[in-house]
Amino acid sequence: MYQKDVDDGFPARVWNLNHEYTHFLDARDDMRGDFTEQTSVPDVWWIEGLAEYVSYGYRGLAYDQAVQEAAKHTYRLSTLFESTYGNSDVTRTYPWGYLAVRYMAERHPDDVQRVLARFRAGDYAGGYAVYHDGIGTRYDADFDQWLTACAAGACARPRRA
């Protein structure tokens, strides 16, 4: 069980009551195969972003760091779609993953379902193709506008994941 060394509002500093448990459920219900298979394509935006999205939404908390990051407009959505554990730092992985998942869940839930249909079958290349080839840079401008709204208060109230 992962426990943070500082008290940041999680019961008993246990991160996995929310974030890690979401990984378990995602791996069980949305992804097939082991972790190596699940990360065979750049999908860290989904894996870590979903865990953050559910964790903050379930607890009814605003993700202040993500809102602050949104104001910086550091990444395009298409860049986040290429996130791996090897090319991302903590900020890109967690708050930016959250922003990518929240945007996709709120604005493009049908696309999320298309990705998950592939992931659930263990077709990671097919799921990756949905967002890499099918979406590509098409949502970048809208994501940028959404980040502006997010930073201006639209993300202050969490959505129930």
Side-chain angles (χ1 to χ4, degrees), residues 109-122:
D110 291 342
D111 288 321
V112 171
Q113 290 305 313
R114 280 191 278 283
V115 170
L116 291 179
R118 300 299 185 113
F119 284 1
R120 287 176 182 141

Side-chain angles (χ1 to χ4, degrees), residues 43-47 49-50 53 76-82 95-116 119 127-144 146-147 150 155 159 161:
D43 58 6
V44 168
W45 72 275
W46 174 259
I47 292 170
L50 179 67
Y53 182 61
R76 294 175 299 148
L77 183 64
S78 59
T79 301
L80 296 172
F81 285 162
E82 300 304 316
W96 280 98
Y98 165 91
L99 292 167
V101 167
R102 183 167 178 172
Y103 170 80
M104 290 298 293
E106 291 178 5
R107 295 280 182 103
H108 304 287
D110 291 342
D111 288 321
V112 171
Q113 290 305 313
R114 280 191 278 283
V115 170
L116 291 179
F119 284 1
Y128 176 67
V130 170
Y131 56 88
H132 179 265
D133 302 327
I135 296 170
T137 61
R138 185 169 27 130
Y139 297 155
D140 283 350
D142 187 56
F143 181 65
D144 191 65
W146 181 87
L147 291 173
C150 180
C155 293
R159 298 280 294 277

Side-chain angles (χ1 to χ4, degrees), residues 30-78:
D30 291 332
M31 304 183 99
R32 181 173 291 228
D34 63 20
F35 186 71
T36 300
E37 291 171 88
Q38 294 169 0
T39 57
S40 63
V41 298
D43 58 6
V44 168
W45 72 275
W46 174 259
I47 292 170
E48 297 298 348
L50 179 67
E52 294 287 86
Y53 182 61
V54 171
S55 175
Y56 280 89
Y58 175 78
R59 292 178 294 129
L61 298 175
Y63 193 168
D64 294 336
Q65 183 184 3
V67 172
Q68 292 166 5
E69 288 298 321
K72 298 176 185 178
H73 296 265
T74 306
Y75 297 105
R76 294 175 299 148
L77 183 64
S78 59

Side-chain angles (χ1 to χ4, degrees), residues 18-38:
N18 295 285
H19 178 98
E20 297 300 335
Y21 191 63
T22 299
H23 283 318
F24 164 75
L25 294 174
D26 187 38
R28 184 189 74 184
D29 298 329
D30 291 332
M31 304 183 99
R32 181 173 291 228
D34 63 20
F35 186 71
T36 300
E37 291 171 88
Q38 294 169 0

